[in-house]
Amino acid sequence: SIGLIFAFANAVAVAMYVVGFAETVVEMLNDVDALMFDELNDIRIVGTLTVILLLGISVAGMEWEAKAQIVLLVILLGAIANFFIGTVMPSENKKPKGYFGYQTAILVENFGPDFRDEETFFSVFAIFFPAATGILAGANISGDLADPQSAIPKGTLLAILITGLTYVAVAISTGATIVRDATGDHNDTVVDTVNCTDAACTLGYDFSICEEGGCKYGLMNDFQVMSLVSAFSPLISAGIFSATLSSALASLVSAPKVFQALCKDNIYPGLSVFAKGYGKNNEPLRGYVLTFCIGLAFILIAELNVIAPIISNFFLASYALINFSVFHASLANSPGWRPSFKYYNMWVSLAGAILCFVVMFVINWWAALVTLLIVLALYIYVSYKKPDVNWGSSTQALIYNQALTHSLNLTSVEEHVKNFRPQCLVLAGYPNSRPALLQLVNSFTKNVSLMVCALEVYMEPVLQSPVSPDYARCQRWLSKKRIKAFYAPVFAENMRYGAQLLLQAVGLGRLKPNTLVMGFKNNWSDGDMRDVENYINIIHDAFDLQFGVVILRLLDGLDISHIQGPEHVVLMCFLVATDIKSPLSLTDQRLLESSQQFKKKQGKGSIDVWWLFDDGGLTLLIPYLLTNRSKWGDCRIRVFIGGKINRIDHDRRAMATLLSKFRIDFSDINVLGDINTKPKNKLSFKELIEPYRLKEDDMEQEAAERLKAQEPWRITDNELELYKTNRQIRLNELLREHSSSAKLIVISMPLARKGTVSSALYMCWLETLSKDLPPLLLVRGNHQSVLTFYS
């Protein structure tokens, strides 16, 4: 934002200096009646020719520009010396034009303000301010300096000191030697009958007629008054040429350099074309042409007093933002921010920023407002686009400071049910492997709570950092998909060990996951049952560590890594992924479509909540958070609960009262009086568990115990007798009957007692309960309340 504004200000400054030069040339032509057309058009012609000449010098390279500046500096120093010499050389011929040499009376009279024609201090300041805008000239060409860190502060401070003293000396000298109004007529001397008290009267001249207007001489009327005072007036004109051309040349070089550096970062679309440099010094020739065009456009205005306030506004905005940036860097307290300037102070920078902003509005409030809106728009664009550029900015440092401070403060705050947030640890593997899982979780955690996307890499623990190039790519993928999550890879011997590491170690203080989210293991029956054992034990481990557990099942599955390769993080587009080397099967096409279903707006429908156990309220909280999102905003919550056939109305009223107290909107409450009736089809469940039964009655006890020890997931006859599975079969039948058209089903997850229910039986329960249904979330809280009646 600063770069564009500053580059534009320098480009417009070219016009101001060239118009200043052209005004002097045209005034000289006017004195000898040599105008080509009229004063305004002649300024345009002279200005255009001048900027073309300056462009040629700039394009020739920094060596030519430096040589030209030295020549111009010598002329300028000579002109300044010529002026001061002239101030001590009295001349009778100059008195009618207002010059009387150093006089105390003139200094006293000129010391106070005398603004005319609706001018004010700040309107004059706006015209004069560009004289001080060369302060960043050294920084603008830092790439061409041998030792910019040393040269820029020394050169800048010396330039400020020398020019400041020169400006003050010129102001005092002119104010002490020249009156404000003079007629230029030798006959306007004081006569006895005239009663006047101004400085001119005390020195023998009566310029009182100037009060009526029309006088051409004096400080208020003659813009070439320094030529009048000087020892050799043509040298002043040469000095004006030198000062304006020198400043114009500096701005013409500065603007393209700044613009080129900005364009190299490729932040704004279409500007990268100006990043290209030419020659050994990487000269920004395209930037020179652009600056020339901008400068020429403003030269055609041909009014110095119109151009100067525009420049002042943009330069003040640039300086204000630079000052604030420096203050911001100091405020961030980053160890990398180490100003080498001995007298640097952050509060001076803040004061400078505030002063610049105030002066902008005092000069012209609407122009300042427009400028700030432009800067804000540029900044918002960059913030929104998030270009892949790392500046090591002060914002990064300040965000770290704030995050660290708030995280530490958070640790001393006791937890309260009103502030509960489902902070999710998502076992998703590579982020693009299970996009549907991440997109759904992001729907209820985004801007609300923590989400950590975890990857477990199965290998022997070695001295290898999990922060590999994949880490950066995965985090970029999450950012690209606008999924607000952290990425946490871990090396482990197996899935369960990796999950244990993540469950215990992920998080910082209160910013620690409290809910484990996994995908349902759709292909569990086709793989190694040891993987199923690990999968079920992860659920038990989560409950042991006081985590809630959420499992998502989609009809077609979640894992699409076999389509595009889990080792590549690519942007997924249906049938356009770069890793797809052959046409997809119908199954894979359907799987890809299914993987993107939570990315789009869900439309009108229902989220069916089957609240079968009181787990603390997580089963209700997640659907509520989903319906607060725009993608799920058109969905309504339907609640299903178990009950007795003779108490349906009572249970419905009781549930409605409870939900009302929880302030959770719902469209309907269904009390299932037939939830405990026998299922219609138990045969499929028997077929499902058959391969995993121990069948201890068919073998000796010792052999059965040995097999159970080797394969602990085996289902014993005792388990089947103690733990009836009719409920899971019946629930699946009811789910198909009532929720087959739901956008999402959220159901309380059955809990198996650890150590007494085998992994295979528990997996068969989950499979039976959730098969052949719309997207389904199995949810079980840790039985700590997450909902409260109180606001």
Side-chain angles (χ1 to χ4, degrees):
S1 303
I2 301 170
L4 274 180
I5 293 293
F6 187 65
F8 182 74
N10 273 290
V12 179
V14 174
M16 187 194 73
Y17 297 126
V18 169
V19 168
F21 166 79
E23 277 188 356
T24 306
V25 172
V26 169
E27 196 161 319
M28 293 171 66
L29 292 174
N30 191 30
D31 289 342
V32 294
D33 293 325
L35 290 178
M36 293 173 276
F37 297 99
D38 54 64
E39 289 189 10
L40 202 63
N41 284 314
D42 280 17
I43 289 172
R44 289 169 178 155
I45 294 169
V46 173
T48 301
L49 295 173
T50 304
V51 79
I52 292 171
L53 174 64
L54 294 177
L55 178 65
I57 296 173
S58 301
V59 170
M62 284 299 297
E63 294 87 353
W64 282 94
E65 194 265 348
K67 291 174 183 176
Q69 290 284 23
I70 291 172
V71 173
L72 294 172
L73 176 63
V74 171
I75 297 171
L76 182 59
L77 291 174
I80 293 171
N82 173 54
F83 166 74
F84 285 113
I85 292 169
T87 60
V88 294
M89 294 174 58
S91 172
E92 289 296 324
N93 293 332
K94 297 178 182 178
K95 287 182 179 181
K97 295 182 179 180
Y99 170 68
F100 294 93
Y102 286 100
Q103 301 289 336
T104 304
I106 295 177
L107 180 62
V108 171
E109 184 176 87
N110 287 339
F111 202 81
D114 182 23
F115 298 109
R116 302 176 185 175
D117 300 326
E118 298 183 355
E119 297 291 347
T120 64
F121 171 83
F122 285 102
S123 67
V124 176
F125 173 87
I127 296 169
F128 177 77
F129 180 75
T133 56
I135 192 170
L136 286 180
N140 295 342
I141 58 169
S142 58
D144 298 291
L145 299 175
D147 184 12
Q149 192 168 1
S150 171
I152 290 174
K154 288 179 182 176
T156 301
L157 290 173
L158 278 171
I160 291 171
L161 177 65
I162 294 168
T163 54
L165 290 174
T166 304
Y167 291 157
V168 171
V170 169
I172 292 173
S173 295
T174 52
T177 58
I178 310 166
V179 295
R180 284 172 172 160
D181 297 288
T183 60
D185 190 344
H186 287 271
N187 297 320
D188 286 338
T189 54
V190 176
V191 294
D192 295 337
T193 58
V194 174
N195 183 21
C196 60
T197 57
D198 59 23
C201 280
T202 61
L203 296 171
Y205 279 84
D206 177 16
F207 298 140
S208 57
I209 193 174
C210 291
E211 294 175 5
E212 299 174 7
C215 290
K216 296 181 179 180
Y217 298 98
L219 285 178
M220 299 297 290
N221 309 300
D222 185 7
F223 289 170
Q224 301 294 325
V225 74
M226 287 181 71
S227 297
L228 172 70
V229 176
S230 65
F232 182 61
S233 59
L235 192 53
I236 293 296
S237 298
I240 294 172
F241 297 163
S242 172
T244 52
L245 293 177
S246 172
S247 298
L249 196 55
S251 296
L252 191 56
V253 170
S254 297
K257 295 277 186 182
V258 173
F259 196 57
Q260 182 186 37
L262 180 75
C263 295
K264 281 181 180 177
D265 289 329
N266 198 24
I267 303 168
Y268 301 102
L271 297 185
S272 56
V273 67
F274 295 102
K276 183 176 175 60
Y278 297 86
K280 62 178 182 178
N281 291 329
N282 197 34
E283 294 293 338
L285 298 186
R286 296 175 181 179
Y288 284 131
V289 174
L290 178 64
T291 304
F292 167 79
C293 294
I294 294 171
L296 185 60
F298 280 86
I299 286 170
L300 296 179
I301 295 174
E303 288 282 352
L304 190 65
N305 290 0
V306 173
I307 300 170
I310 297 172
I311 298 171
S312 296
N313 193 55
F314 281 108
F315 273 116
L316 281 166
S318 302
Y319 296 157
L321 291 168
I322 291 169
N323 272 293
F324 182 77
S325 298
V326 171
F327 167 75
H328 195 270
S330 302
L331 192 66
N333 207 20
S334 171
W337 172 249
R338 298 182 296 274
S340 58
F341 182 52
K342 181 179 178 181
Y343 302 103
Y344 165 74
N345 185 282
M346 61 185 288
W347 301 110
V348 174
S349 299
L350 179 61
I354 294 171
L355 191 61
C356 287
F357 277 123
V358 169
V359 172
M360 279 177 66
F361 280 92
V362 171
I363 290 174
N364 190 323
W365 68 267
W366 62 265
L369 200 60
V370 170
T371 304
L372 290 182
L373 287 174
I374 292 170
V375 172
L376 189 63
L378 293 170
Y379 176 75
I380 289 172
Y381 176 82
V382 174
S383 301
Y384 177 76
K385 293 296 288 185
K386 291 182 176 60
D388 189 17
V389 180
N390 188 2
W391 291 287
S393 69
S394 60
T395 304
Q396 292 173 343
L398 192 63
I399 288 172
Y400 176 86
N401 261 13
Q402 292 172 339
L404 181 61
T405 301
H406 293 320
S407 298
L408 290 170
N409 290 340
L410 200 59
T411 58
S412 61
V413 177
E414 291 187 16
E415 291 182 354
H416 193 281
V417 62
K418 284 198 296 186
N419 294 322
F420 177 85
R421 298 163 186 264
Q423 303 190 107
C424 298
L425 174 65
V426 187
L427 300 185
Y430 283 95
N432 67 325
S433 297
R434 294 170 181 83
L437 182 61
L438 292 180
Q439 285 159 0
L440 181 63
V441 176
N442 184 62
S443 293
F444 63 82
T445 61
K446 185 178 181 182
N447 298 329
V448 171
S449 58
L450 175 71
M451 175 180 170
V452 179
C453 172
L455 165 70
E456 300 159 274
V457 180
Y458 310 128
M459 60 174 62
E460 291 294 326
V462 292
L463 293 176
Q464 182 177 352
S465 170
V467 183
S468 61
D470 276 350
Y471 178 88
R473 290 204 299 271
C474 290
Q475 195 66 57
R476 278 200 303 270
W477 186 90
L478 291 169
S479 299
K480 194 82 174 178
K481 293 295 180 181
R482 298 184 183 176
I483 295 174
K484 294 195 174 183
F486 296 99
Y487 176 65
V490 65
F491 288 95
E493 296 174 10
N494 57 54
M495 181 179 180
R496 184 184 182 189
Y497 182 53
Q500 287 174 339
L501 292 175
L502 290 163
L503 286 166
Q504 295 177 84
V506 167
L508 184 68
R510 293 271 188 241
L511 293 174
K512 181 178 175 62
N514 55 30
T515 305
L516 176 69
V517 182
M518 298 191 296
F520 185 80
K521 198 171 180 64
N522 275 42
N523 62 344
W524 67 274
S525 59
D526 301 329
D528 191 335
M529 284 303 293
R530 282 173 294 193
D531 292 338
V532 176
E533 179 80 2
N534 282 334
Y535 181 81
I536 298 301
N537 280 328
I538 288 171
I539 297 174
H540 290 308
D541 292 339
F543 287 133
D544 289 343
L545 292 168
Q546 298 298 302
F547 274 65
V549 176
V550 176
I551 296 176
L552 172 64
R553 181 171 191 180
L554 299 184
L555 189 62
D556 298 308
L558 291 166
D559 189 0
I560 62 170
S561 59
H562 64 282
I563 299 175
Q564 56 183 6
E567 71 280 0
H568 298 296
V569 180
V570 295
L571 299 180
M572 290 175 301
C573 297
F574 180 52
L575 294 179
V576 191
T578 56
D579 290 353
I580 299 173
K581 297 180 174 62
S582 58
L584 295 179
S585 66
L586 190 61
T587 302
D588 284 345
Q589 287 184 26
R590 194 167 60 244
L591 179 58
L592 264 182
E593 289 175 343
S594 175
S595 72
Q596 297 298 306
Q597 64 178 298
F598 297 129
K599 188 178 180 182
K600 58 190 177 183
K601 191 172 178 65
Q602 297 303 304
K604 290 185 177 180
S606 68
I607 298 177
D608 288 359
V609 180
W610 290 66
W611 196 18
L612 307 177
F613 312 99
D614 183 8
D615 61 350
L618 188 62
T619 310
L620 274 173
L621 181 61
I622 288 176
Y624 167 74
L625 293 173
L626 281 173
T627 54
N628 283 340
R629 301 296 184 181
S630 59
K631 288 180 183 176
W632 294 85
D634 294 334
C635 294
R636 295 292 173 261
I637 293 176
R638 295 196 304 171
V639 179
F640 295 81
I641 59 173
K644 293 182 179 180
I645 196 71
N646 59 346
R647 288 171 52 94
I648 288 179
D649 288 339
H650 176 271
D651 291 344
R652 183 182 290 113
R653 284 195 300 270
M655 190 64 193
T657 302
L658 185 65
L659 292 174
S660 178
K661 287 182 177 180
F662 283 147
R663 300 176 304 282
I664 291 178
D665 292 331
F666 59 91
S667 63
D668 194 14
I669 295 175
N670 294 275
V671 181
L672 304 169
D674 55 349
I675 194 170
N676 292 317
T677 59
K678 287 185 179 181
K680 298 174 183 177
N681 184 10
K682 297 173 63 175
L683 182 62
S684 60
F685 183 78
K686 289 181 180 179
E687 293 174 352
L688 181 64
I689 65 172
E690 186 64 27
Y692 311 108
R693 292 185 60 184
L694 184 62
K695 298 180 181 178
E696 62 266 42
D697 291 344
D698 298 341
M699 63 182 75
E700 295 181 0
Q701 183 178 354
E702 187 179 341
E705 290 175 355
R706 188 165 54 251
L707 181 60
K708 181 66 175 175
Q710 292 172 352
E711 299 179 354
W713 58 82
R714 291 283 178 182
I715 304 170
T716 65
D717 293 337
N718 189 44
E719 280 181 80
L720 292 177
E721 290 177 9
L722 288 175
Y723 301 102
K724 304 298 182 183
T725 58
N726 288 351
R727 185 177 178 85
Q728 316 310 327
I729 303 171
R730 179 59 183 152
L731 278 173
N732 182 261
E733 291 174 355
L734 291 170
L735 283 163
R736 292 192 197 187
E737 180 183 344
H738 294 284
S739 298
S740 58
S741 61
K743 295 290 184 181
L744 179 69
I745 300 171
V746 182
I747 185 169
S748 300
M749 184 168 66
L751 193 60
R753 187 173 299 174
K754 185 179 180 182
T756 58
V757 177
S758 63
S759 299
L761 181 57
Y762 190 26
M763 198 70 209
C764 289
W765 285 359
L766 299 180
E767 171 69 32
T768 301
L769 172 65
S770 60
K771 69 178 180 179
D772 301 328
L773 290 168
L776 181 137
L777 273 184
L778 292 158
V779 180
R780 189 77 176 211
N782 61 7
H783 295 277
Q784 293 180 353
S785 294
V786 302
L787 294 172
T788 176
F789 295 156
Y790 307 106
S791 299

